[in-house]
Amino acid sequence: MSTSATAPETSVLPVVRERPILVALAGQPNVGKSTLFNLLTGLHQHVGNWPGKTVERKEGHFTFNGVSYRLVDLPGTYSLTANSPEELIAREFILRERPDVVVAVVDAATLERSLYLVAELLPLPVPVVVALNMMDVARQEGIQVEPEVLQAALGVPVVPMSATRGMGVPELLETVERMARGDLPYAPRLPQIRPDHREVLETIAERIAGYVPEMYPRDWVALKLLEGDAEVTRMMRAALPPERWEEVHAVLRAHDDAQVAVASGRYEWIGRMVRAAVTRPRVGQIGLTERLDRWATHPVWGLVILASILGLVFWLTYTVGAPIQGLLETYGVGTLAEAVRGWLSGAPAWLSGLLADGVIGGAGAVLTFLPILVIFFAAMAFLEDVGYMARAAYVMDGLMHLIGLHGKSFLPLFLGFGCNVPAILGSRVIDSRRARLLTILLAPLVPCTARMAVIVFLAPAFFGPAAPLVAWGLVLLSLGVLALTGMVLNRALFGGRRSAFIMELPLYHLPNWRTIGLSVWQRSLSFVRKAGTVILVVSVVIWALSTLPGGGAEASYLARLGKFLEPAGRLMGLDWRLTVALLSSFVAKENSIATLGVLFRAGEEGLAALLAATYPPATALAFLVVQVLFVPCVATVAAIRQETASWRWTVFSIGLLLVVSLLAGAVTFHVASRLMPHPG
Amino acid sequence: MTDEQAPRPQNSTLPLSALRAGETGTITEISGGHHLRSRMLTLGLTPGAGVTVLQNYGRGPLIVRVRDTRVALGRGEASKVFVRREA
């Protein structure tokens, strides 16, 4: 028995009768595609990247009615024209892997727009089943859609459903199975190009006949050429003999407005479908979304609402997340390290040092930030799921323009206050490569919780009652430097151009806890995995440098490096110990304090007093400034490497932050020395 | 109330950014580069489509409704869409 839609269970019997049915899930953003994917696969899903791309690839498996399925979630895209890596991935998967069935998820409440992707899918040589999702939402909005009429008009199966309520899912799977077995008639009615371009389309199709690479349908290639699709153009330029290409190219050049004719043709086709199937269109009433947006997208109130929401997230982070992090650090990492030292008291000192200080003190300390990250991940997933994220991007667009970005970059950057790693991963929501790169380069300038922890510890020690002022000043300084760097980089690297801002504002809806939960789970998992690999290795290396060749921390390689670099540190008023503390912050920002503790041979309480007595305020301030702007931690650098897929940009980012932080530190030290002479 | 100089002299067409909140127009032309045009077309901003401006404060981005979808677009992008104002 496995007719239940909500829990497609894995069969107990090993069904080896045939290979699983390969289903590709396609759909535009905000049509409920992820909800359906999560509903079908639950925890039986694997999240990775598409080969060579920084686009998330989700795949899962499940069994239904004794048939096993492999489900690949294609990236959510509005079309299949190669405007973005996502669109390219989606169509290449369909053309190369030839899934048994493509399930095209469309939103019944915005049928006209969401059928556009279907118009692009039907000409591909793979059968399509349309999942007419959000029937319940459409009904609430006063829209009535007739699935049977739509099915007759499209010529492909249409299954009405609601993924959030689990309605219609068994019917969808039955249809998919029958389609995969070839038991269903399939005669799609294809959209046509606008009549004034039909002739030129035929000309091109004729000219390229015989030269089109095997897996691509000829008429589809001709259409994509007319649309000016960069990838298909490149492919055909290589495939055609030069004279033939010249001929085709001349035709294309004479019709460079064909793009509009192709899109118009698709919308004309959609118009016919919608007119047939939608028996009662949206009535003129003002819906919930419109009412909420009067406030949420207002130029003033929108910012107030955004600030309040972000304030709440911060409040949660600091009242719930930070104490848990502190407890984990003291009782988790601290106790564990002590226990390991106890167990290994008979073993060589290097072994207990390696495990207690290197592994547990390094990678373990990074892991203690997980509770803070979980809160951030949950808040972001919630805001995304209910549809608020797009509004936040909208109201921040004006301010983000000042630094060469647009609204969509705001939320990834905001994530940086929790941890820079999710900020860099979160930059995936930005559709232009240029804006994404700039966001990644700027993200490390957002002061993360680990940096704030160092400030919160050191500022009171040095500045007493003025500490909150100093802490706020440092946050504002980081953001100021971020804005300035953004302006300069945008001008220097990209000639001051901005990427286009155009995005859908989805309807608000109730949160889907399953989607939110799975998103938090997967992001946390990937963070833990990183802590267990890259961060672990670097922690051990830094630990080794700080202990070897023996004879105490002062004689270590790290100390020698610090002493070697001291002349550079002097420019900012830092001695070798502060320089070493800064270097060790590369593993994890809060390591600065631990390192100073080792070098001064003091516990945390004693350390504060000792530091205040040792360093003049100008040095202290300069150290804090460098600390907050310095090269990010290794986890962040690894994320930058992963997301830019380029060592060049990773090194550039490190160099940039090195220059910016040292410059700011030097200026701070020299100005502060004049204004705040050493009291002693 | 707008800062745009309509680059097209025909008195009947004007940039989308010149429509006030609540006004409706029919798209006559999409200008701009290939890439931007492609993204706008995909979201349903095609010649002949009806578009209603939901929000336009005279500066900053706009919100429009086109084909039952709410679309936010920057002022620069909106000034590349030409419309004929409907009564």
Side-chain angles (χ1 to χ4, degrees), chain A residues 83 293 297 394 501 503 505, chain B residues 34 38 42 55 67 70 72 74:
Chain A
N83 282 325
D293 269 354
T297 60
Y394 177 80
F501 179 62
M503 66 189 288
L505 296 180
Chain B
H34 182 88
S38 174
T42 302
Q55 195 181 89
R67 301 185 191 275
R70 304 157 59 78

Side-chain angles (χ1 to χ4, degrees), chain A residues 281-626:
Chain A
R282 186 190 305 276
V283 275
Q285 72 192 22
I286 292 167
L288 173 72
T289 295
E290 222 129 298
R291 244 174 295 148
L292 287 176
D293 269 354
R294 274 192 199 148
W295 298 93
T297 60
H298 187 274
V300 176
W301 293 116
L303 284 172
V304 172
I305 290 169
L306 177 62
S308 318
I309 290 175
L310 299 187
L312 188 69
V313 174
F314 263 125
W315 179 81
L316 268 177
T317 308
Y318 280 98
T319 52
V320 182
I324 299 178
Q325 191 268 333
L327 288 177
L328 280 178
E329 181 130 45
T330 318
Y331 296 105
V333 173
T335 313
L336 192 62
E338 278 319 304
V340 167
R341 276 204 194 90
W343 293 329
L344 294 177
S345 52
W350 65 265
L351 185 62
S352 78
L354 171 70
L355 288 177
D357 298 332
V359 175
I360 299 170
V366 173
L367 275 182
T368 61
F369 281 86
L370 195 59
I372 291 178
L373 290 183
V374 166
I375 293 174
F376 256 80
F377 290 155
M380 293 300 138
F382 175 83
L383 293 175
E384 175 80 60
D385 193 61
V386 298
Y388 179 73
M389 282 299 203
R391 275 71 188 184
Y394 177 80
V395 293
M396 283 305 290
D397 188 58
L399 288 174
M400 298 304 285
H401 269 188
L402 296 176
I403 56 173
L405 293 171
H406 64 59
K408 277 192 185 178
S409 294
F410 172 70
L411 284 152
L413 287 179
F414 178 73
L415 273 176
F417 282 107
C419 172
N420 290 173
V421 175
I424 286 159
L425 301 183
S427 71
R428 290 180 178 193
V429 299
I430 303 160
D431 34 30
S432 119
R433 166 147 178 91
R434 195 156 46 77
R436 200 176 153 208
L437 188 59
L438 193 53
T439 309
I440 291 174
L441 291 175
L442 294 179
L445 287 167
V446 179
C448 64
T449 36
R451 281 183 233 221
M452 291 311 291
V454 177
I455 293 173
V456 166
F457 177 77
L458 290 179
F462 287 124
F463 302 102
L469 208 66
V470 172
W472 266 115
L474 287 166
V475 172
L476 289 181
L477 173 83
S478 315
L479 297 182
V481 170
L482 185 150
L484 206 66
T485 312
M487 281 187 251
V488 172
L489 282 184
N490 185 44
R491 202 142 300 176
L493 298 177
F494 308 124
R497 278 172 303 139
R498 276 195 296 106
S499 51
F501 179 62
I502 171 163
M503 66 189 288
E504 181 194 355
L505 296 180
L507 293 173
Y508 289 104
H509 58 78
L510 291 174
N512 183 301
W513 301 111
R514 196 186 174 99
T515 305
I516 296 172
L518 277 167
S519 155
V520 172
W521 165 249
Q522 268 145 10
R523 286 178 193 194
S524 306
L525 202 66
S526 101
F527 178 77
V528 169
R529 230 177 256 145
K530 199 162 277 153
T533 50
V534 188
I535 300 176
L536 183 68
V537 170
V538 178
S539 305
V540 169
V541 169
I542 296 265
W543 169 82
L545 285 175
S546 70
T547 7
L548 297 176
E554 276 186 50
S556 70
Y557 291 125
L558 196 63
R560 286 183 211 176
L561 186 64
K563 282 173 184 156
F564 173 73
L565 292 176
E566 195 169 11
R570 281 275 164 232
L571 293 175
M572 300 161 284
L574 310 184
D575 67 356
W576 70 270
R577 284 173 295 202
L578 290 177
T579 311
V580 168
L582 209 52
L583 290 179
S584 68
S585 76
F586 182 59
V587 175
K589 290 289 149 189
E590 69 282 11
N591 272 10
S592 295
I593 297 169
T595 306
L596 288 172
V598 172
L599 295 177
F600 278 91
R601 297 205 177 80
E604 288 210 350
E605 304 81 48
L607 181 62
L610 214 53
L611 290 175
T614 311
Y615 298 111
T619 296
L621 196 60
F623 177 73
L624 288 178
V625 166
V626 183

